[in-house]
């Protein structure tokens, strides 16, 4: 199992898209409110909502367990609903 915090995931996403010519407009890390990442390329804006497999507090408390599969599904469902609303 790969354990990755949301912050680590956001860093990886930023790295991937900037290597492919996107410009980072904004990023919400450390449980900041709002869209997790906004990127721009050729007039196209990407809005990204990221969910790691474990909370960001894992960096300071490695006893924290990964999210249950059902909880991940619920987070994704809520974010899709929020973005479509």
């Amino acid at each position: 199992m790969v354990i990755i915090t949301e912050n680590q995931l956001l860093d990886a996403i930023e790295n991937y898209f900037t290597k492919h010519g996107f410009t980072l407009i904004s990023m919400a890390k450390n449980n900041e409110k709002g869209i997790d990442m906004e990127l721009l390329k050729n007039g196209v804006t990407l809005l990204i909502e990221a969910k790691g497999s474990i909370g960001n507090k894992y960096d300071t408390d490695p006893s924290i367990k990964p999210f249950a599969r059902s909880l991940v599904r619920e987070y994704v469902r809520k974010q899709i609903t929020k973005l479509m609303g």
Side-chain angles (χ1 to χ4, degrees):
M1 172 188 304
V2 175
I3 295 179
I4 186 167
T5 66
E6 186 172 308
N7 283 345
Q8 292 168 326
L9 180 59
L10 286 169
D11 290 339
I13 292 168
E14 176 191 12
N15 185 34
Y16 175 85
F17 279 102
T18 55
K19 281 184 179 179
H20 288 85
F22 283 81
T23 301
L24 179 67
I25 304 300
S26 65
M27 184 179 338
K29 289 176 91 173
N30 301 315
N31 300 321
E32 291 177 56
K33 299 292 182 195
I35 296 166
D36 287 343
M37 187 177 296
E38 184 176 357
L39 300 137
L40 178 67
K41 180 179 177 182
N42 299 330
V44 174
T45 302
L46 292 180
L47 304 176
I48 295 176
E49 176 64 32
K51 291 292 176 217
S53 58
I54 199 159
N56 286 321
K57 292 181 182 175
Y58 179 79
D59 289 336
T60 55
D61 183 0
S63 69
I64 296 172
K65 302 293 183 223
F67 296 126
R69 182 175 296 230
S70 61
L71 189 55
V72 172
R73 286 183 181 144
E74 180 65 13
Y75 284 152
V76 170
R77 184 192 64 75
K78 284 181 180 180
Q79 292 306 319
I80 290 171
T81 302
K82 187 179 193 180
L83 290 169
M84 291 178 71

